[in-house]
Amino acid sequence: MLLEIGQRLKAGVGNRDLVARYGGDEFLVALRDLATLEGLRQSLGAVVMTSVGALAVRADIGYVPFERGEDVDILLERADAAMYARKRSAKLASA
């Protein structure tokens, strides 16, 4: 599953963008063009075919703009907070 998701991410970004596995089931994607984000969301939402059949994929995305001069650790903290805020709002909406 992780390999498939990584391949989808790499296929959905430009050659000047960055895709990296950050840890566990988390990926870091640095985009130059924000329009790419919607395509990634659609790609990640498609089912994955496995040996046991089709599996639905769910992805929570935390997007934050890079602030010039910002420390990378702060940027990652902000992105993580945005992702968890999105998860919370999705849970509230489905309740």
Side-chain angles (χ1 to χ4, degrees):
M1 183 68 78
L2 289 174
L3 179 62
E4 175 67 23
I5 298 304
Q7 289 173 341
R8 288 182 186 191
L9 290 171
K10 284 175 33 179
V13 301
N15 62 354
R16 295 180 66 197
D17 297 327
L18 170 75
V19 174
R21 185 165 170 211
Y22 188 59
D25 62 351
E26 295 181 341
F27 289 86
L28 172 68
V29 180
L31 303 172
R32 290 187 154 292
D33 182 2
L34 187 55
T36 305
L37 185 58
E38 187 55 38
L40 290 177
R41 281 190 175 121
Q42 290 176 7
S43 174
L44 293 175
V47 298
V48 173
M49 294 306 297
T50 71
S51 61
V52 295
L55 296 178
V57 176
R58 199 193 79 171
D60 295 302
I61 298 172
Y63 165 76
V64 293
F66 175 72
E67 304 289 336
R68 187 172 294 279
E70 183 174 31
D71 182 88
V72 172
D73 290 330
I74 299 298
L75 179 68
L76 291 173
E77 285 178 20
R78 292 192 312 113
D80 202 45
M83 180 188 66
Y84 281 106
R86 188 169 180 88
K87 281 184 179 193
R88 281 190 300 276
S89 69
K91 283 182 184 178
L92 291 175
S94 66

